[in-house]
Amino acid sequence: MHTTFKAAILSLTLATPLSAQAEDFNIAFLAASSQNGFNQAIYDGIKEAASGYDNVSTQIFDGEFSATAQFSQVEDIVAGGKFDAIIITPNDTVGIATALEDAVKAGVKVGTTLFPVGPELTEMEPQVPGLTVTVASTPVVGATAQANAVVDYCADKDPCKVVVLIGQLVFPFDNVRNDTYKEILGEHDNIEIVATGEGNYSPQDSMIAMQDILQANRDIDVVLSNADQHLMGAEVAIADAGLDMSQIYTLGGGLNQIAVDAIKAGTWTGTLAQFPKSMGAAALDAMVDALNGETPPTWIDEYSLRETPKIITKEWLDENPDFEPEWQG
């Protein structure tokens, strides 16, 4: 018995240090802006996925919609040595590449959400050597679906006057979206883009932009935007101008709760489906796999994460009454 007891003690003594050696992982999320609801939802997905592990901690950093701020954050994280991995929603998909390449060289795992990192926004495979995963789809896919929906609506209208509200044309991804809109709509002689405004992903900025546009263009048929926040601001401006939002074809992007409610009520026409929580969760799981020495996929298509049409309409929501969006707006 004495020998058996000693063996049991020895076994416990050996097992305890091995358990204590389980490595903790610190993962930083570099939001394009932590004040932005879509980015907050990505982080909600990251936190939710992290809660499924015993050894994963996360922290969000506010990129302030500034390429410079985000570049400095990457440099500070690499110099600080606290974090094992970075998940980033990039503000400057091209300029941030150098900093992220240095992070990879320093042994920090790097993943990106919403957009790829590198000069080619339509290339989903890693353009930064050693980048772990891209959870995104090319901006062309969503913009094409939106533009084609506008073409269908405008088929029997001549002229069909379109207002475009985009985020910021200084952002490469918004340029790609805007160029896609212009290319597809420009193939139809009956469609005229009468104005393009920048909403900066802010209802307030979007309201001001739409007010300016309506001063010269009250007769509009379509408001096409890449962000639901832009339609929120446009709705106020349209109402203030004495126009009926429900009589204008309005298409946003992002699929937040406000958009779902407005589409169900018939105030907005539709929006582009996106799932930020699912993107964040998929990125977190991929980074943990990589830190554990496994090999996650280098690209996870955003549109593979949930099964919905790309353009969400009232008809689809009526057919799917239990559908819940992933962010509030």
Side-chain angles (χ1 to χ4, degrees):
M1 289 293 292
H2 182 68
T3 302
T4 303
F5 180 74
K6 287 180 63 178
I9 294 296
L10 178 61
S11 175
L12 285 172
T13 304
L14 289 172
T16 299
L18 286 174
S19 176
Q21 287 173 1
E23 188 176 358
D24 292 332
F25 297 138
N26 291 314
I27 299 178
F29 173 53
L30 275 56
S33 166
S34 63
Q35 308 305 309
N36 174 267
F38 194 91
N39 278 240
Q40 291 170 356
I42 292 175
Y43 189 52
D44 287 343
I46 289 172
K47 288 189 295 183
E48 192 170 297
S51 69
Y53 303 91
D54 294 331
N55 61 333
V56 177
S57 299
T58 64
Q59 182 176 335
I60 188 172
F61 292 77
D62 184 3
E64 303 171 1
F65 280 139
S66 163
T68 303
Q70 218 167 37
F71 196 98
S72 297
Q73 288 169 350
V74 175
E75 290 183 321
D76 291 345
I77 285 173
V78 172
K82 173 184 175 182
F83 291 94
D84 306 286
I86 293 170
I87 299 171
I88 187 170
T89 300
N91 282 320
D92 180 353
T93 54
V94 179
I96 198 68
T98 303
L100 294 178
E101 188 170 350
D102 289 342
V104 172
K105 288 177 181 176
V108 179
K109 302 292 185 185
V110 175
T112 179
T113 54
L114 192 57
F115 304 115
V117 171
E120 300 297 334
L121 276 168
T122 57
E123 175 56 60
M124 294 295 109
E125 292 300 332
Q127 299 171 60
V128 172
L131 187 139
T132 297
V133 66
T134 297
V135 186
S137 66
T138 163
V140 173
V141 171
T144 297
Q146 290 181 297
N148 284 336
V150 171
V151 169
D152 290 343
Y153 170 76
C154 289
D156 298 325
K157 288 184 177 293
D158 189 6
C160 189
K161 297 180 179 179
V162 178
V163 170
V164 172
L165 287 179
I166 203 78
Q168 289 188 36
L169 290 174
V170 70
F171 292 153
F173 42 84
D174 279 340
N175 257 311
V176 168
R177 289 165 170 153
N178 195 44
D179 287 347
T180 302
Y181 295 157
K182 289 192 295 185
E183 179 181 349
I184 293 175
L185 300 182
E187 294 171 353
H188 301 270
D189 293 338
N190 63 313
I191 298 177
E192 179 186 359
I193 299 176
V194 296
T196 300
E198 293 180 294
N200 197 28
Y201 300 94
S202 157
Q204 177 71 17
D205 291 354
S206 304
M207 180 189 70
I208 295 170
M210 194 70 204
Q211 286 173 334
D212 292 342
I213 289 170
L214 287 172
Q215 287 181 4
N217 303 278
R218 281 185 58 87
D219 182 20
I220 59 173
D221 300 296
V222 175
V223 179
L224 168 61
S225 179
N226 66 304
D228 291 337
Q229 300 98 316
H230 299 158
L231 282 194
M232 291 161 59
E235 184 174 1
V236 176
I238 288 169
D240 287 347
L243 302 174
D244 185 349
M245 182 88 162
S246 66
Q247 299 303 305
I248 300 171
Y249 185 90
T250 48
L251 200 56
L255 188 55
N256 62 25
Q257 183 66 58
I258 293 171
V260 168
D261 292 342
I263 294 167
K264 283 182 175 179
T267 311
W268 299 8
T269 308
T271 191
L272 176 68
Q274 288 191 278
F275 301 101
K277 280 189 70 176
S278 295
M279 277 196 286
L284 188 285
D285 287 336
M287 303 311 292
V288 173
D289 285 349
L291 290 168
N292 282 324
E294 301 173 19
T295 305
T298 52
W299 172 42
I300 299 174
D301 186 352
E302 172 187 354
Y303 288 111
S304 71
L305 298 174
R306 289 185 64 172
E307 292 185 2
T308 70
K310 288 187 175 62
I311 302 299
I312 300 297
T313 61
K314 185 176 189 309
E315 289 73 18
W316 187 85
L317 290 171
D318 287 345
E319 293 169 359
N320 297 271
D322 296 330
F323 173 79
E324 293 183 1
E326 293 193 347
W327 60 302
Q328 292 301 305

